[in-house]
């Protein structure tokens, strides 16, 4: 169950962040497609397709780019009942990472999976319907049409010539099939030879553009984000722009007018596409109207500007990558040591870890299935909720050394000295590296103080130089040359020498700070690895202790 809870948290977080990013990108695309003139239908189609790609990448990519634009979030945790290594102040500032309750998030994740399964079921039914239409269709017998279609397909550079078949139940040409593309023609024969050529050219344009393959990206995105109304609208815009791009391709490659092609669209009218196939007719009256308007724009503006494709490239580079807005880092304070750690045996989230002294740590977990507290004299390490810490305090007798364990609703106490020493020894590497990190922090703080002192001296020298400069200006205003006063030149020279000396010292201190920062980075990485290893070792050791006869089960709390 804990694994599914972690999955639910990760899933809903990705859905939420990706939905927010998609809404912003949709706003940008809506502005570009509506207010930027002469953006070609192909460029608009590519923009909306990239939106679909962004939605899929956002939910699949586990390492989004961090944007630390928020102010660091801090909270104050007050504890007066835990004393580690001597007296502790009642308040400690810690970094908090809070997530909502797991229960409702698991339910929402299950509902999302169920809705996705239903949609996939409908997609399977549509696929079976396409297969049925293909099975019931028959080859086209008109060799003239077949030869014209094959010739145009070769001119377009298609590697595989599409099959031509006649099917009942459709009113306009359709193209279907990923591996074996097939153009389905209606049996009514209502199209003239010229109209049929234009319709076939439209379907071949879909094949040349790869729309049957590329269309799965926005289709999958719409199913994954079925709850997002803007995504549904955006995917409809993609489908419409795709048809407009094929219409523009027909006008560009054929010696026909927009009016002639428009009459073809009006004759085909409004007809839904055959399932997952692409049809020449418009699925709605609104789509038909938009396509007719596009034809007039294409006729009056034959030269398309490159601004649309520039926007496509910009969106592909910056808009598809998933982002996360995070809090900025807080500079280290000399008097406060705050580190992060993961829960050892139950969960890897909802934790706040506070270093209470050099000899222990206190981890507050908002919701944990398991917990433990180790007392060994003044040394204490706690991993669990505040209620767990209180329960461990109540179970302890005086200042005795004890290991308190909770597994679900069962609690245990271990007072065996060897077992307690074994658990404490596991934390020795972590305590050692924390001390090294604290020592580096003190050195960095000392260097920072020295840099601040040098900065103060530099400010005073700068003020003195400004005063001399003002005096020189006053002499020049009176018609006297500053060079006649040797004390001015001498003062300026002395101040310049002092400023250069301070600048050299600042550079040396900056180099020392950079080296300490590098060492902090190395130690931080070592600390992460050591913490992960210790977490696993402690969890395994405690599991073995619970199974052995060393752990004494306590009465129900």
């Amino acid at each position: 169950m804990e694994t599914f809870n972690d999955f639910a948290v990760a899933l809903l977080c990705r859905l939420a962040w990706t939905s927010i990013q998609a809404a912003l990108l949709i706003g940008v695309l809506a502005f570009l497609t509506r207010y930027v003139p002469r953006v070609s239908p192909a460029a608009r189609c590519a923009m909306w397709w990239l939106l679909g790609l962004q939605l899929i990448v956002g939910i699949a990519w586990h390492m989004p780019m961090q944007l630390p634009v928020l102010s660091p979030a801090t909270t104050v945790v007050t504890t007066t009942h835990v004393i580690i290594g001597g007296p502790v102040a009642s308040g400690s500032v810690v970094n908090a990472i809070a997530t909502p309750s797991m229960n409702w998030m698991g339910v929402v994740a299950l509902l999302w999976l169920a809705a996705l399964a239903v949609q996939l079921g409908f997609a399977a039914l549509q696929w079976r319907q396409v297969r049925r239409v293909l099975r019931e269709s028959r080859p086209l017998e008109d060799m003239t049409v077949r030869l014209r279609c094959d010739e145009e397909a070769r001119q377009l550079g298609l590697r595989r010539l599409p099959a031509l078949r006649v099917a009942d139940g459709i009113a306009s040409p359709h193209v279907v099939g990923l591996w074996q593309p097939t153009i389905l023609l209606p049996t009514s024969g209502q199209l003239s030879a010229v109209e049929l050529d234009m319709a076939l050219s439209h379907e071949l344009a879909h094949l040349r553009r790869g729309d049957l393959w590329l269309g799965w990206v926005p289709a999958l995105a719409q199913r994954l984000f079925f709850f997002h109304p803007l995504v549904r609208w955006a995917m409809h815009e993609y489908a419409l722009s795709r048809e407009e791009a094929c219409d523009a391709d027909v006008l560009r490659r054929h010696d026909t007018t927009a009016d002639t092609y428009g009459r073809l669209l009006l004759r085909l009218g409004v007809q839904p596409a055959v399932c997952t196939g692409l049809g020449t007719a418009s699925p709605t009256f609104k789509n038909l109207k938009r396509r007719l308007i596009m034809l007039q724009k294409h006729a009056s503006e034959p030269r398309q500007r490159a601004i649309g494709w520039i926007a496509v490239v910009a969106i592909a580079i910056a808009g598809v990558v998933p982002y996360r807005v995070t809090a900025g880092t807080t500079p280290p304070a000399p008097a406060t040591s705050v580190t992060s750690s993961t829960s050892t045996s139950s969960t890897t989230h909802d934790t706040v870890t506070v270093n209470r002294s050099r000899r222990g740590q206190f981890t507050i977990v908002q919701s944990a299935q398991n917990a433990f507290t180790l007392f060994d004299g003044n040394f204490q390490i706690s991993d669990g909720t505040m209620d767990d810490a209180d329960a461990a305090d109540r179970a302890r007798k005086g200042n005795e050394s004890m290991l308190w364990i909770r597994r679900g609703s069962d609690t245990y106490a271990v007072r065996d000295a060897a077992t307690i020493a074994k658990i404490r020894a596991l934390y020795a590497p972590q305590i050692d590296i924390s001390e090294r990190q604290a020592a580096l922090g003190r050195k960095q703080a000392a260097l920072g103080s020295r840099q601040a002192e040098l900065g103060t001296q530099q400010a005073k020298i700068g003020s003195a130089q400004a005063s001399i400069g003002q005096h020189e200006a006053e002499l020049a205003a009176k018609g006297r040359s500053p060079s006649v006063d040797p004390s001015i030149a001498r003062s300026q020279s002395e101040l310049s020498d002092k400023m250069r000396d301070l600048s050299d010292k600042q550079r040396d201190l900056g180099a020392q700070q950079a080296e300490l920062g590098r060492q902090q980075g190395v130690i931080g990485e070592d600390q992460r690895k050591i913490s992960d290893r210790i977490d696993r070792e402690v969890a395994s050791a405690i599991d073995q202790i619970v199974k052995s006869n060393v752990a004494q089960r306590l009465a129900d709390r």
Side-chain angles (χ1 to χ4, degrees), residues 79 164 260 428:
T79 57
L164 284 177
T260 302

Side-chain angles (χ1 to χ4, degrees), residues 181-262:
T182 301
I183 297 179
L184 298 175
L185 300 176
T187 57
S188 59
Q190 60 179 348
L191 300 179
S192 64
V194 175
E195 292 173 337
L196 185 58
D197 284 344
M198 290 188 294
L200 289 175
S201 180
H202 179 98
E203 305 308 324
L204 291 174
H206 279 304
L207 295 178
R208 182 184 66 83
R209 289 167 41 84
D211 287 337
L212 287 174
W213 284 98
L214 295 176
W216 282 100
V217 170
L220 178 59
Q222 184 172 353
R223 283 170 169 79
L224 292 173
F225 292 83
F226 59 88
F227 55 87
H228 202 311
L230 291 180
V231 171
R232 290 197 299 271
W233 174 81
M235 294 305 99
H236 291 159
E237 287 295 310
Y238 161 76
L240 177 56
S241 299
R242 180 179 58 191
E243 297 303 319
E244 292 178 350
C246 291
D247 294 339
D249 190 79
V250 174
L251 295 181
R252 183 170 58 253
R253 290 187 295 105
H254 286 262
D255 186 16
T256 184
T257 63
D259 293 339
T260 302
Y261 190 78

Side-chain angles (χ1 to χ4, degrees), residues 3 56 82 125 166 180 270 350 509 523 545 555:
T3 302
I56 296 176
V82 178
L125 292 177
V166 178
Q180 296 178 344
V270 177
D350 291 342
L509 292 178
I523 291 177
I545 292 171

Side-chain angles (χ1 to χ4, degrees), residues 120-396:
L120 293 178
F122 281 119
L125 292 177
Q126 291 179 342
W127 179 79
R128 291 184 60 183
Q129 184 177 354
V130 170
R131 300 303 302 172
R132 180 180 60 80
V133 172
L134 285 174
R135 285 195 306 269
E136 296 176 355
S137 64
R138 55 189 181 276
L140 178 68
E141 298 178 355
D142 191 338
M143 293 303 300
T144 303
V145 177
R146 293 175 62 89
L147 290 175
R148 288 203 306 268
C149 181
D150 291 347
E151 178 63 24
E152 185 168 356
R154 292 188 183 95
Q155 293 177 0
L156 291 175
L158 298 180
R159 297 181 180 179
R160 303 185 64 177
L161 300 180
L164 284 177
R165 301 182 69 86
V166 178
D168 297 325
I170 60 175
S172 67
H174 288 71
V175 59
V176 297
L178 294 176
W179 303 106
Q180 296 178 344
T182 301
I183 297 179
L184 298 175
L185 300 176
T187 57
S188 59
Q190 60 179 348
L191 300 179
S192 64
V194 175
E195 292 173 337
L196 185 58
D197 284 344
M198 290 188 294
L200 289 175
S201 180
H202 179 98
E203 305 308 324
L204 291 174
H206 279 304
L207 295 178
R208 182 184 66 83
R209 289 167 41 84
D211 287 337
L212 287 174
W213 284 98
L214 295 176
W216 282 100
V217 170
L220 178 59
Q222 184 172 353
R223 283 170 169 79
L224 292 173
F225 292 83
F226 59 88
F227 55 87
H228 202 311
L230 291 180
V231 171
R232 290 197 299 271
W233 174 81
M235 294 305 99
H236 291 159
E237 287 295 310
Y238 161 76
L240 177 56
S241 299
R242 180 179 58 191
E243 297 303 319
E244 292 178 350
C246 291
D247 294 339
D249 190 79
V250 174
L251 295 181
R252 183 170 58 253
R253 290 187 295 105
H254 286 262
D255 186 16
T256 184
T257 63
D259 293 339
T260 302
Y261 190 78
R263 282 193 292 270
L264 169 64
L265 296 181
L266 288 173
R267 183 169 183 179
L268 294 175
V270 177
Q271 297 289 338
V274 176
C275 309
T276 57
L278 303 176
T280 306
S282 301
T284 65
F285 176 78
K286 181 180 178 180
N287 284 26
L288 176 60
K289 180 180 178 180
R290 287 269 300 270
R291 290 172 70 180
L292 293 174
I293 294 174
M294 188 282 303
L295 294 178
Q296 299 302 320
K297 289 184 178 179
H298 183 274
S300 60
E301 299 178 0
R303 297 182 60 184
Q304 302 293 339
R305 295 180 179 177
I307 188 172
W309 291 108
I310 294 175
V312 170
V313 174
I315 293 170
I317 295 174
V320 175
V321 179
Y323 298 96
R324 296 290 187 273
V325 177
T326 61
T329 58
T330 304
T336 304
S337 175
V338 180
T339 62
S340 62
S341 173
T342 58
S343 176
T344 57
S345 60
S346 58
T347 181
T348 58
H349 53 271
D350 291 342
T351 64
V352 179
T353 302
V354 186
N355 272 3
R356 306 300 296 226
S357 74
R358 294 187 302 169
R359 295 186 293 170
Q361 66 184 26
F362 184 76
T363 303
I364 303 170
V365 184
Q366 302 300 336
S367 61
Q369 294 295 323
N370 305 319
F372 76 90
T373 297
L374 175 65
F375 301 99
D376 191 8
N378 288 331
F379 179 89
Q380 176 180 340
I381 290 181
S382 295
D383 189 343
T385 65
M386 294 297 297
D387 291 338
D388 293 327
D390 293 336
D393 282 341
R394 290 193 299 269
R396 189 185 187 193

Side-chain angles (χ1 to χ4, degrees), residues 83 112 205 252 309 356 424 434 515 533 548:
I83 305 296
W112 180 84
R252 183 170 58 253
W309 291 108
R356 306 300 296 226
R424 175 170 177 172
S434 296
E515 175 60 21
R533 176 173 58 81
S548 68

